[in-house]
Amino acid sequence: MRMVDLIEKKRDGKELNTEEIQYIINGYTDGSIPDYQISALTMAIYFKGMTEKERADLTMAMVESGDQIDLTAIKGVKVDKHSTGGVGDTTTLVLGPLVAAVGVPVAKMSGRGLGHTGGTIDKLEAVPGFHVEIENEEFIRLVNENNLAVIGQSGNLTPADKKLYSLRDVTATVNSIPLIASSIMSKKIAAGADAIVLDVKTGAGAFMKSLDDSKELAQAMVNIGNNVGRKTMAVISDMSQPLGFAIGNALEVKEAIDTLRGEGPKDLTELCLALGSHMVYLANKASSLEEARQKLEEVVNNGSALESFKTFLQSQGGDASVVDDPDTLPKAKYVVELPAKKEGYVSEIVADAVGTAAMWLGAGRATKESQIDLAVGLELRKKMGDFVQQGESLVTIHSNQEDIEKVKEKLYESISISEEKVEAPTLIHGEITN
Ligand code: URA
Ligand code: CA
Protein backbone atom coordinates (compact mmCIF):
# COMPACT_ATOMS: atom_id res chain seq x y z
CA MET A 1 0.00 0.00 0.00
CA ARG A 2 1.26 3.52 -0.76
CA MET A 3 0.05 6.51 1.20
CA VAL A 4 0.05 8.73 -1.89
CA ASP A 5 -2.54 6.44 -3.54
CA LEU A 6 -4.79 6.65 -0.49
CA ILE A 7 -4.58 10.45 -0.47
CA GLU A 8 -5.52 10.44 -4.15
CA LYS A 9 -8.45 8.09 -3.49
CA LYS A 10 -9.87 10.38 -0.82
CA ARG A 11 -9.14 13.49 -2.88
CA ASP A 12 -11.34 11.98 -5.61
CA GLY A 13 -14.12 11.31 -3.14
CA LYS A 14 -13.84 7.53 -2.96
CA GLU A 15 -14.32 5.40 0.15
CA LEU A 16 -11.27 4.07 2.01
CA ASN A 17 -11.65 0.51 3.27
CA THR A 18 -10.92 -0.85 6.76
CA GLU A 19 -7.39 -2.08 5.95
CA GLU A 20 -6.47 1.22 4.31
CA ILE A 21 -7.62 3.23 7.32
CA GLN A 22 -5.72 0.91 9.67
CA TYR A 23 -2.62 1.27 7.49
CA ILE A 24 -2.86 5.08 7.70
CA ILE A 25 -3.40 5.25 11.46
CA ASN A 26 -0.78 2.62 12.30
CA GLY A 27 1.75 4.30 10.02
CA TYR A 28 1.06 7.72 11.48
CA THR A 29 1.31 6.43 15.06
CA ASP A 30 4.65 4.66 14.49
CA GLY A 31 6.08 7.58 12.50
CA SER A 32 6.45 5.80 9.16
CA ILE A 33 3.90 8.10 7.50
CA PRO A 34 4.99 11.77 7.75
CA ASP A 35 2.92 14.76 8.85
CA TYR A 36 2.79 16.25 5.34
CA GLN A 37 0.98 13.25 3.91
CA ILE A 38 -1.49 13.15 6.80
CA SER A 39 -2.03 16.91 6.35
CA ALA A 40 -2.98 16.35 2.73
CA LEU A 41 -5.28 13.50 3.72
CA THR A 42 -7.09 15.46 6.44
CA MET A 43 -7.58 18.36 4.03
CA ALA A 44 -9.08 15.90 1.51
CA ILE A 45 -11.36 14.58 4.28
CA TYR A 46 -12.29 18.14 5.17
CA PHE A 47 -13.62 18.67 1.62
CA LYS A 48 -14.86 15.18 0.69
CA GLY A 49 -16.14 13.95 4.07
CA MET A 50 -16.25 10.34 5.22
CA THR A 51 -18.89 7.63 4.95
CA GLU A 52 -20.41 6.10 8.08
CA LYS A 53 -18.25 3.02 7.65
CA GLU A 54 -15.07 5.09 7.27
CA ARG A 55 -15.91 7.02 10.44
CA ALA A 56 -16.38 3.82 12.45
CA ASP A 57 -13.15 2.38 11.02
CA LEU A 58 -11.19 5.54 11.79
CA THR A 59 -12.54 5.60 15.34
CA MET A 60 -11.60 1.97 16.00
CA ALA A 61 -8.16 2.36 14.40
CA MET A 62 -7.48 5.26 16.80
CA VAL A 63 -8.85 3.25 19.76
CA GLU A 64 -6.45 0.42 18.88
CA SER A 65 -3.47 2.78 18.50
CA GLY A 66 -2.88 2.76 22.28
CA ASP A 67 -4.07 1.43 25.64
CA GLN A 68 -7.67 0.39 26.12
CA ILE A 69 -9.01 0.45 29.63
CA ASP A 70 -10.49 -2.86 30.71
CA LEU A 71 -13.48 -2.26 32.96
CA THR A 72 -14.87 -5.80 32.79
CA ALA A 73 -14.03 -6.30 36.49
CA ILE A 74 -16.68 -3.70 37.28
CA LYS A 75 -20.16 -5.13 37.68
CA GLY A 76 -22.97 -3.67 35.58
CA VAL A 77 -23.20 -1.45 32.52
CA LYS A 78 -20.56 1.26 32.63
CA VAL A 79 -22.06 4.47 31.25
CA ASP A 80 -19.87 7.44 30.47
CA LYS A 81 -20.96 11.00 29.82
CA HIS A 82 -19.13 13.38 27.55
CA SER A 83 -19.69 17.08 27.07
CA THR A 84 -18.35 18.83 24.00
CA GLY A 85 -17.36 21.61 26.36
CA GLY A 86 -18.85 24.86 27.48
CA VAL A 87 -18.48 27.65 29.99
CA GLY A 88 -19.15 26.90 33.65
CA ASP A 89 -20.31 23.40 32.76
CA THR A 90 -20.60 21.86 36.20
CA THR A 91 -22.59 18.79 35.08
CA THR A 92 -19.88 16.12 35.52
CA LEU A 93 -19.38 17.03 39.17
CA VAL A 94 -23.10 16.65 39.79
CA LEU A 95 -23.82 13.65 37.57
CA GLY A 96 -21.18 11.32 39.02
CA PRO A 97 -22.57 11.21 42.57
CA LEU A 98 -26.15 11.61 41.33
CA VAL A 99 -26.28 8.50 39.15
CA ALA A 100 -23.92 6.57 41.47
CA ALA A 101 -26.53 7.01 44.21
CA VAL A 102 -29.04 5.23 41.96
CA GLY A 103 -26.64 2.30 41.46
CA VAL A 104 -25.01 3.21 38.13
CA PRO A 105 -21.26 2.43 38.18
CA VAL A 106 -19.28 5.51 37.11
CA ALA A 107 -15.64 4.80 36.27
CA LYS A 108 -14.48 8.17 35.10
CA MET A 109 -11.22 8.94 33.41
CA SER A 110 -10.76 12.69 33.29
CA GLY A 111 -8.33 15.31 32.19
CA ARG A 112 -7.28 18.82 33.01
CA GLY A 113 -8.80 21.78 31.25
CA LEU A 114 -7.55 24.23 28.69
CA GLY A 115 -9.38 27.55 28.27
CA HIS A 116 -12.33 28.95 30.25
CA THR A 117 -12.12 26.91 33.45
CA GLY A 118 -10.36 23.80 34.61
CA GLY A 119 -11.32 20.27 33.71
CA THR A 120 -13.08 17.91 36.10
CA ILE A 121 -9.82 17.00 37.84
CA ASP A 122 -8.82 20.63 38.39
CA LYS A 123 -12.23 21.34 39.88
CA LEU A 124 -12.13 18.35 42.21
CA GLU A 125 -8.65 19.34 43.35
CA ALA A 126 -10.23 22.43 44.90
CA VAL A 127 -11.28 19.98 47.62
CA PRO A 128 -8.31 19.83 50.02
CA GLY A 129 -6.47 16.49 49.79
CA PHE A 130 -8.41 15.09 46.85
CA HIS A 131 -6.26 13.29 44.30
CA VAL A 132 -6.69 11.14 41.19
CA GLU A 133 -3.29 9.45 41.26
CA ILE A 134 -4.61 5.99 42.10
CA GLU A 135 -3.65 2.56 40.79
CA ASN A 136 -5.93 0.80 38.34
CA GLU A 137 -6.81 -1.94 40.87
CA GLU A 138 -7.75 0.69 43.45
CA PHE A 139 -9.84 2.51 40.85
CA ILE A 140 -11.81 -0.64 40.03
CA ARG A 141 -12.22 -1.55 43.70
CA LEU A 142 -13.60 1.92 44.48
CA VAL A 143 -16.12 1.80 41.64
CA ASN A 144 -17.32 -1.63 42.76
CA GLU A 145 -17.60 -0.36 46.33
CA ASN A 146 -19.00 3.18 45.90
CA ASN A 147 -20.15 3.21 42.26
CA LEU A 148 -17.88 6.21 41.64
CA ALA A 149 -14.19 6.92 41.17
CA VAL A 150 -12.16 9.34 39.03
CA ILE A 151 -8.72 8.56 37.68
CA GLY A 152 -6.30 10.72 35.66
CA GLN A 153 -5.92 10.12 31.95
CA SER A 154 -3.61 7.26 31.00
CA GLY A 155 -0.58 8.59 29.13
CA ASN A 156 -1.05 6.24 26.21
CA LEU A 157 -4.75 6.55 25.45
CA THR A 158 -5.43 7.03 21.70
CA PRO A 159 -1.94 8.35 20.76
CA ALA A 160 -3.07 8.51 17.12
CA ASP A 161 -5.78 11.00 18.06
CA LYS A 162 -3.32 13.08 20.05
CA LYS A 163 -1.00 13.40 17.05
CA LEU A 164 -3.80 13.94 14.58
CA TYR A 165 -5.54 16.58 16.70
CA SER A 166 -2.32 18.61 17.08
CA LEU A 167 -1.74 18.41 13.34
CA ARG A 168 -5.32 19.44 12.52
CA ASP A 169 -4.90 22.38 14.85
CA VAL A 170 -2.16 23.87 12.64
CA THR A 171 -3.54 22.82 9.25
CA ALA A 172 -7.05 24.35 9.50
CA THR A 173 -8.74 20.94 9.60
CA VAL A 174 -10.15 20.86 13.14
CA ASN A 175 -13.56 21.86 11.94
CA SER A 176 -14.51 18.67 10.11
CA ILE A 177 -17.46 16.76 11.55
CA PRO A 178 -16.18 13.23 10.72
CA LEU A 179 -12.80 14.07 12.28
CA ILE A 180 -14.25 15.68 15.40
CA ALA A 181 -16.76 12.87 15.91
CA SER A 182 -14.20 10.08 15.57
CA SER A 183 -11.70 11.96 17.74
CA ILE A 184 -14.15 12.33 20.62
CA MET A 185 -15.62 8.83 20.30
CA SER A 186 -12.21 7.12 20.13
CA LYS A 187 -11.32 8.52 23.55
CA LYS A 188 -14.61 7.43 25.14
CA ILE A 189 -14.37 3.93 23.68
CA ALA A 190 -10.73 3.47 24.68
CA ALA A 191 -11.69 4.54 28.21
CA GLY A 192 -13.90 1.45 28.41
CA ALA A 193 -17.49 2.73 28.36
CA ASP A 194 -20.25 0.23 27.47
CA ALA A 195 -22.71 3.06 26.85
CA ILE A 196 -22.21 6.76 26.21
CA VAL A 197 -24.40 9.79 26.86
CA LEU A 198 -23.24 12.83 24.91
CA ASP A 199 -23.99 16.41 25.85
CA VAL A 200 -23.49 18.34 22.63
CA LYS A 201 -23.46 22.06 23.33
CA THR A 202 -24.77 24.65 20.94
CA GLY A 203 -24.49 28.46 20.88
CA ALA A 204 -21.90 31.19 21.37
CA GLY A 205 -19.97 29.37 24.11
CA ALA A 206 -19.88 26.06 22.27
CA PHE A 207 -17.53 24.45 19.82
CA MET A 208 -20.48 24.31 17.40
CA LYS A 209 -22.18 27.70 17.25
CA SER A 210 -25.17 26.78 15.06
CA LEU A 211 -27.92 24.33 15.92
CA ASP A 212 -27.65 22.58 12.54
CA ASP A 213 -23.93 21.90 13.01
CA SER A 214 -24.50 20.72 16.59
CA LYS A 215 -27.19 18.29 15.43
CA GLU A 216 -24.96 16.98 12.67
CA LEU A 217 -22.08 16.42 15.09
CA ALA A 218 -24.40 14.72 17.60
CA GLN A 219 -25.80 12.42 14.92
CA ALA A 220 -22.30 11.58 13.68
CA MET A 221 -21.15 10.57 17.17
CA VAL A 222 -24.32 8.58 17.92
CA ASN A 223 -23.88 6.68 14.64
CA ILE A 224 -20.24 5.87 15.37
CA GLY A 225 -21.03 4.63 18.88
CA ASN A 226 -23.92 2.45 17.80
CA ASN A 227 -22.00 1.13 14.76
CA VAL A 228 -19.14 -0.09 16.96
CA GLY A 229 -21.40 -1.70 19.55
CA ARG A 230 -21.69 0.94 22.27
CA LYS A 231 -25.16 2.21 23.02
CA THR A 232 -24.89 5.94 22.42
CA MET A 233 -27.32 8.87 22.59
CA ALA A 234 -26.98 12.64 22.58
CA VAL A 235 -28.70 15.60 24.19
CA ILE A 236 -28.22 18.95 22.48
CA SER A 237 -28.09 21.65 25.12
CA ASP A 238 -27.84 25.40 25.13
CA MET A 239 -24.53 27.18 25.58
CA SER A 240 -25.51 30.64 24.39
CA GLN A 241 -25.07 31.69 28.03
CA PRO A 242 -22.98 29.92 30.70
CA LEU A 243 -24.61 26.98 32.50
CA GLY A 244 -25.63 27.64 36.09
CA PHE A 245 -24.19 30.64 37.93
CA ALA A 246 -20.63 29.63 38.81
CA ILE A 247 -17.61 29.74 36.49
CA GLY A 248 -14.40 28.82 38.29
CA ASN A 249 -13.12 25.73 40.04
CA ALA A 250 -13.93 26.02 43.77
CA LEU A 251 -17.05 28.02 42.88
CA GLU A 252 -18.26 25.17 40.68
CA VAL A 253 -17.62 22.60 43.39
CA LYS A 254 -19.84 24.67 45.67
CA GLU A 255 -22.44 24.91 42.90
CA ALA A 256 -22.35 21.13 42.44
CA ILE A 257 -22.90 20.63 46.19
CA ASP A 258 -25.89 23.00 46.11
CA THR A 259 -27.30 21.11 43.13
CA LEU A 260 -26.88 17.69 44.79
CA ARG A 261 -28.74 19.16 47.76
CA GLY A 262 -31.61 20.19 45.46
CA GLU A 263 -30.79 23.88 45.76
CA GLY A 264 -28.87 24.41 42.54
CA PRO A 265 -29.51 26.72 39.57
CA LYS A 266 -32.57 25.74 37.55
CA ASP A 267 -30.79 25.15 34.22
CA LEU A 268 -27.95 23.09 35.70
CA THR A 269 -30.42 21.00 37.71
CA GLU A 270 -32.63 20.38 34.70
CA LEU A 271 -29.73 19.40 32.43
CA CYS A 272 -28.32 17.02 35.07
CA LEU A 273 -31.72 15.35 35.45
CA ALA A 274 -32.07 15.00 31.67
CA LEU A 275 -28.57 13.58 31.12
CA GLY A 276 -28.76 11.52 34.31
CA SER A 277 -32.07 9.92 33.28
CA HIS A 278 -30.49 8.70 30.05
CA MET A 279 -27.47 7.34 31.95
CA VAL A 280 -29.70 5.46 34.41
CA TYR A 281 -31.83 4.11 31.60
CA LEU A 282 -28.85 2.95 29.49
CA ALA A 283 -27.40 1.27 32.59
CA ASN A 284 -30.65 -0.74 32.91
CA LYS A 285 -31.39 0.73 36.32
CA ALA A 286 -34.85 1.91 35.24
CA SER A 287 -37.33 0.62 32.68
CA SER A 288 -38.28 4.07 31.40
CA LEU A 289 -36.88 7.60 31.34
CA GLU A 290 -39.69 8.72 33.66
CA GLU A 291 -38.79 6.08 36.23
CA ALA A 292 -35.10 7.04 35.90
CA ARG A 293 -35.90 10.65 36.59
CA GLN A 294 -38.03 9.78 39.61
CA LYS A 295 -35.15 7.77 41.06
CA LEU A 296 -32.76 10.71 40.58
CA GLU A 297 -35.16 13.13 42.23
CA GLU A 298 -35.54 10.70 45.12
CA VAL A 299 -31.78 10.48 45.84
CA VAL A 300 -31.55 14.26 45.82
CA ASN A 301 -34.51 14.60 48.19
CA ASN A 302 -33.40 11.89 50.63
CA GLY A 303 -29.78 13.10 50.77
CA SER A 304 -28.14 9.98 49.33
CA ALA A 305 -26.75 11.86 46.29
CA LEU A 306 -24.93 14.22 48.64
CA GLU A 307 -23.79 11.26 50.76
CA SER A 308 -22.42 9.58 47.64
CA PHE A 309 -20.38 12.73 46.88
CA LYS A 310 -18.92 12.69 50.42
CA THR A 311 -17.96 9.01 50.22
CA PHE A 312 -16.34 9.59 46.84
CA LEU A 313 -14.27 12.59 48.01
CA GLN A 314 -13.18 10.80 51.17
CA SER A 315 -12.16 7.61 49.41
CA GLN A 316 -9.76 9.60 47.19
CA GLY A 317 -8.20 11.54 50.06
CA GLY A 318 -10.49 14.56 49.95
CA ASP A 319 -11.78 16.49 52.93
CA ALA A 320 -15.51 15.64 52.78
CA SER A 321 -16.36 18.30 55.35
CA VAL A 322 -16.45 20.81 52.45
CA VAL A 323 -19.84 19.35 51.57
CA ASP A 324 -21.41 20.56 54.82
CA ASP A 325 -19.15 23.57 55.11
CA PRO A 326 -18.22 24.92 51.64
CA ASP A 327 -16.47 27.84 53.35
CA THR A 328 -13.40 25.61 53.69
CA LEU A 329 -12.94 25.63 49.88
CA PRO A 330 -10.21 27.97 48.54
CA LYS A 331 -11.34 31.60 48.67
CA ALA A 332 -10.25 34.62 46.66
CA LYS A 333 -8.86 37.76 48.33
CA TYR A 334 -11.17 40.21 46.57
CA VAL A 335 -14.92 39.79 46.07
CA VAL A 336 -16.26 42.56 43.85
CA GLU A 337 -19.73 43.19 42.43
CA LEU A 338 -20.34 44.34 38.84
CA PRO A 339 -23.25 46.81 38.97
CA ALA A 340 -25.68 47.13 36.04
CA LYS A 341 -25.27 50.47 34.26
CA LYS A 342 -28.98 50.66 33.47
CA GLU A 343 -32.20 48.83 34.25
CA GLY A 344 -33.85 46.34 31.91
CA TYR A 345 -33.96 42.71 30.89
CA VAL A 346 -30.74 40.75 30.42
CA SER A 347 -30.86 39.88 26.72
CA GLU A 348 -27.44 38.35 26.19
CA ILE A 349 -24.60 36.83 28.24
CA VAL A 350 -22.08 35.79 25.60
CA ALA A 351 -20.76 32.56 27.06
CA ASP A 352 -17.31 32.40 25.50
CA ALA A 353 -16.53 36.04 26.34
CA VAL A 354 -17.55 35.47 29.96
CA GLY A 355 -15.37 32.34 29.91
CA THR A 356 -12.44 34.43 28.70
CA ALA A 357 -12.99 36.89 31.57
CA ALA A 358 -12.87 33.97 34.02
CA MET A 359 -9.66 32.75 32.40
CA TRP A 360 -8.06 36.18 32.78
CA LEU A 361 -8.77 35.97 36.50
CA GLY A 362 -6.82 32.69 36.51
CA ALA A 363 -9.71 30.19 36.60
CA GLY A 364 -8.55 28.58 33.36
CA ARG A 365 -5.36 27.94 31.44
CA ALA A 366 -4.38 30.21 28.54
CA THR A 367 -1.72 27.64 27.57
CA LYS A 368 -1.04 24.07 28.71
CA GLU A 369 1.70 25.40 31.00
CA SER A 370 -0.42 28.02 32.82
CA GLN A 371 -1.08 27.62 36.52
CA ILE A 372 -4.72 27.61 37.60
CA ASP A 373 -5.99 29.58 40.57
CA LEU A 374 -8.69 27.33 42.07
CA ALA A 375 -10.25 30.09 44.18
CA VAL A 376 -11.08 32.66 41.52
CA GLY A 377 -13.94 33.00 39.07
CA LEU A 378 -17.34 34.50 38.45
CA GLU A 379 -20.82 34.06 39.87
CA LEU A 380 -23.59 35.29 37.64
CA ARG A 381 -26.26 37.13 39.59
CA LYS A 382 -28.57 37.39 36.59
CA LYS A 383 -29.30 35.12 33.65
CA MET A 384 -30.92 35.83 30.29
CA GLY A 385 -34.52 36.94 30.71
CA ASP A 386 -34.00 38.29 34.26
CA PHE A 387 -34.87 41.89 35.11
CA VAL A 388 -32.10 43.99 36.62
CA GLN A 389 -32.28 47.38 38.38
CA GLN A 390 -29.66 50.01 37.69
CA GLY A 391 -26.81 49.48 40.19
CA GLU A 392 -27.89 45.94 41.03
CA SER A 393 -25.13 43.33 40.68
CA LEU A 394 -24.86 41.40 37.41
CA VAL A 395 -21.86 39.34 38.42
CA THR A 396 -19.81 38.72 41.55
CA ILE A 397 -16.11 38.66 40.68
CA HIS A 398 -13.79 36.54 42.82
CA SER A 399 -10.21 37.67 42.23
CA ASN A 400 -6.75 37.43 43.70
CA GLN A 401 -5.59 40.43 41.68
CA GLU A 402 -6.59 43.90 42.80
CA ASP A 403 -6.72 45.39 39.32
CA ILE A 404 -9.59 43.81 37.44
CA GLU A 405 -10.53 46.69 35.12
CA LYS A 406 -9.96 44.56 31.99
CA VAL A 407 -12.15 41.79 33.38
CA LYS A 408 -14.94 44.22 34.24
CA GLU A 409 -14.78 45.77 30.79
CA LYS A 410 -14.97 42.34 29.15
CA LEU A 411 -18.00 41.44 31.26
CA TYR A 412 -19.79 44.70 30.44
CA GLU A 413 -19.14 43.97 26.76
CA SER A 414 -20.56 40.45 27.05
CA ILE A 415 -23.75 41.23 28.96
CA SER A 416 -26.49 43.14 27.14
CA ILE A 417 -29.53 44.73 28.74
CA SER A 418 -32.63 45.58 26.74
CA GLU A 419 -35.76 47.57 27.51
CA GLU A 420 -38.03 44.92 26.03
CA LYS A 421 -38.88 41.76 27.87
CA VAL A 422 -36.68 38.84 26.84
CA GLU A 423 -37.37 35.12 27.18
CA ALA A 424 -34.78 32.79 28.68
CA PRO A 425 -33.30 30.55 25.96
CA THR A 426 -34.50 26.98 25.53
CA LEU A 427 -32.20 24.70 27.52
CA ILE A 428 -32.58 21.45 25.60
CA HIS A 429 -32.72 21.76 21.83
CA GLY A 430 -33.17 18.11 21.01
CA GLU A 431 -32.20 14.52 21.63
CA ILE A 432 -30.76 11.97 19.22
CA THR A 433 -31.21 8.38 20.28
CA ASN A 434 -30.36 6.41 17.16
N1 URA B 1 -12.48 17.74 20.77
C1 URA B 1 -11.82 16.59 20.49
O1 URA B 1 -11.54 15.81 21.40
N2 URA B 1 -11.49 16.34 19.22
C2 URA B 1 -11.78 17.17 18.21
O2 URA B 1 -11.46 16.86 17.09
C3 URA B 1 -12.46 18.35 18.50
C4 URA B 1 -12.80 18.62 19.80
CA1 CA C 1 -21.70 26.49 36.39
Side-chain angles (χ1 to χ4, degrees):
M1 228 178 283
R2 289 197 319 158
M3 185 60 192
V4 62
D5 299 327
L6 303 182
I7 298 171
E8 188 178 307
K9 197 170 172 187
K10 182 43 68 183
R11 183 202 65 194
D12 296 342
K14 299 197 181 97
E15 185 181 56
L16 298 169
N17 66 36
T18 308
E19 292 69 42
E20 289 166 339
I21 289 177
Q22 281 169 351
Y23 168 82
I24 294 166
I25 293 303
N26 293 343
Y28 191 42
T29 310
D30 69 23
S32 57
I33 299 176
D35 277 350
Y36 54 81
Q37 286 189 307
I38 301 293
S39 305
L41 179 76
T42 51
M43 191 56 85
I45 292 173
Y46 181 92
F47 284 110
K48 298 292 180 179
M50 288 181 111
T51 64
E52 254 194 54
K53 181 166 175 300
E54 285 178 313
R55 297 172 189 204
D57 286 342
L58 174 60
T59 304
M60 289 317 292
M62 294 202 291
V63 167
E64 286 154 12
S65 72
D67 295 344
Q68 295 179 57
I69 310 301
D70 183 2
L71 298 178
T72 48
I74 296 171
K75 302 176 291 273
V77 181
K78 279 73 70 183
V79 187
D80 204 353
K81 191 257 341 181
H82 177 81
S83 150
T84 57
V87 179
D89 183 7
T90 319
T91 52
T92 301
L93 292 183
V94 179
L95 277 170
L98 184 62
V99 304
V102 171
V104 179
V106 181
K108 187 112 196 121
M109 180 172 275
S110 265
R112 295 183 191 279
L114 188 61
H116 315 304
T117 55
T120 299
I121 293 182
D122 300 303
K123 293 176 194 179
L124 286 167
E125 281 176 352
V127 176
F130 184 89
H131 64 94
V132 295
E133 291 80 22
I134 52 178
E135 295 297 324
N136 273 330
E137 298 71 44
E138 173 75 350
F139 176 59
I140 301 236
R141 186 184 69 75
L142 288 174
V143 181
N144 276 329
E145 219 170 271
N146 307 328
N147 286 329
L148 175 60
V150 175
I151 190 169
Q153 216 121 39
S154 141
N156 197 33
L157 207 71
T158 59
D161 171 65
K162 231 169 256 160
K163 259 184 111 168
L164 199 57
Y165 197 7
S166 314
L167 184 71
R168 286 165 55 211
D169 205 21
V170 293
T171 54
T173 49
V174 167
N175 228 332
S176 147
I177 282 180
L179 294 177
I180 299 170
S182 47
S183 164
I184 293 174
M185 292 304 288
S186 70
K187 285 173 276 209
K188 291 287 118 181
I189 291 163
D194 301 314
I196 301 157
V197 170
L198 299 163
D199 178 12
V200 178
K201 308 286 192 188
T202 191
F207 198 62
M208 289 291 163
K209 315 273 181 218
S210 85
L211 186 54
D212 281 346
D213 285 349
S214 306
K215 281 187 175 159
E216 198 183 332
L217 176 62
Q219 186 70 62
M221 290 193 286
V222 169
N223 290 349
I224 290 173
N226 291 325
N227 285 339
V228 304
R230 317 283 169 124
K231 279 192 278 179
T232 305
M233 69 80 56
V235 169
I236 297 165
S237 73
D238 189 70
M239 197 33 87
S240 54
Q241 65 176 343
L243 188 65
F245 301 125
I247 303 141
N249 300 282
L251 295 169
E252 288 186 52
V253 171
K254 165 128 190 344
E255 181 166 74
I257 294 167
D258 291 342
T259 307
L260 288 166
R261 210 190 288 284
E263 296 164 1
K266 216 171 83 196
D267 57 351
L268 176 61
T269 302
E270 180 50 36
L271 183 58
C272 288
L273 287 172
L275 294 168
S277 302
H278 285 286
M279 291 174 78
V280 171
Y281 179 69
L282 285 180
N284 298 324
K285 297 288 176 188
S287 52
S288 68
L289 285 172
E290 294 71 37
E291 188 195 341
R293 193 179 171 106
Q294 269 169 16
K295 286 189 165 186
L296 294 173
E297 284 170 347
E298 196 177 305
V299 295
V300 169
N301 294 334
N302 69 17
S304 46
L306 206 58
E307 208 49 48
S308 144
F309 193 43
K310 281 190 201 171
T311 308
F312 156 65
L313 292 177
Q314 220 153 23
S315 66
Q316 295 193 222
D319 176 2
S321 72
V322 299
V323 172
D324 295 314
D325 184 12
D327 277 350
T328 54
L329 288 166
K331 271 210 198 71
K333 209 149 66 190
Y334 306 98
V335 178
V336 182
E337 305 296 336
L338 185 83
K341 289 179 178 168
K342 60 175 185 183
E343 69 162 40
Y345 295 90
V346 176
S347 56
E348 199 172 30
I349 306 180
V350 182
D352 50 358
V354 173
T356 302
M359 190 178 73
W360 286 348
L361 288 167
R365 291 183 181 85
T367 71
K368 276 186 195 127
E369 286 72 36
S370 323
Q371 279 285 343
I372 269 191
D373 185 339
L374 295 169
V376 303
L378 304 167
E379 276 180 287
L380 302 179
R381 294 295 168 202
K382 299 287 171 185
K383 299 275 302 232
M384 283 167 70
D386 289 348
F387 185 78
V388 61
Q389 304 277 358
Q390 185 183 4
E392 205 183 346
S393 178
L394 291 167
V395 183
T396 306
I397 304 166
H398 297 253
S399 173
N400 277 327
Q401 304 145 230
E402 200 172 356
D403 179 11
I404 50 171
E405 278 318 303
K406 242 180 77 184
V407 170
K408 285 181 163 176
E409 216 173 282
K410 185 83 178 167
L411 289 170
Y412 276 127
E413 272 168 28
S414 4
I415 303 175
S416 312
I417 295 172
S418 96
E419 278 166 27
E420 285 117 68
K421 202 164 165 28
V422 178
E423 295 296 322
T426 303
L427 177 65
I428 293 175
H429 295 276
E431 289 181 359
I432 292 173
T433 50
N434 57 48

